[in-house]
Amino acid sequence: MTSSRSWMSAAMFPPSSNLLLMNSYLFLGDYVDRGCFGVETILTLYAMKTNYPKSVVLLRGNHESLQMSTFFNFKEECEHKYGQALYNAIIAVSYTHLTLPTICSV
């Protein structure tokens, strides 16, 4: 966690509202199942996307799925900290609102 905190402070994260309005941010998926703060990570990203929809792009990774989040304990973490209703809401948002990445070949 120390390394990510120093990276975040060096990158001015969370960015100020001025930075979010002037720049675009692309997040490439797999936001959950990376440690004990998966719920907080995805909720922070959803809040950024909600507040700055034109500046933040969230792509869905394979971990933002029912099968993977259950296998890698995100479901257990979410239910333990916040309950089943929040887990269901996160999965629903992940399926309906996150863009699936595409593979392009040249």
Side-chain angles (χ1 to χ4, degrees):
M1 189 65 184
T2 306
S3 62
S4 60
R5 281 190 182 154
S6 59
W7 173 84
M8 287 181 193
S9 62
M12 296 177 62
F13 190 88
S16 70
S17 57
N18 289 339
L19 282 176
L20 277 167
L21 292 172
M22 296 179 347
N23 297 302
S24 295
Y25 295 87
L26 173 64
F27 294 91
L28 300 176
D30 290 352
Y31 313 116
V32 301
D33 304 322
R34 300 294 181 213
C36 58
F37 296 104
V39 178
E40 293 79 6
T41 299
I42 198 156
L43 291 178
T44 299
L45 292 171
Y46 285 167
M48 289 173 61
K49 177 65 176 171
T50 301
N51 288 318
Y52 305 99
K54 293 181 180 179
S55 299
V56 175
V57 177
L58 301 175
L59 298 179
R60 188 176 86 181
N62 66 326
H63 284 246
E64 285 75 50
S65 69
L66 187 59
Q67 295 83 11
M68 294 296 280
S69 66
T70 302
F71 182 76
F72 285 105
N73 298 325
F74 175 71
K75 179 179 181 181
E76 182 180 307
E77 174 197 348
C78 194
E79 289 176 346
H80 175 72
K81 290 180 178 179
Y82 303 103
Q84 177 75 35
L86 182 64
Y87 174 75
N88 292 339
I90 289 172
I91 292 299
V93 168
S94 295
Y95 276 131
T96 58
H97 295 293
L98 291 185
T99 305
L100 283 172
T102 59
I103 298 174
C104 299
S105 63
V106 180

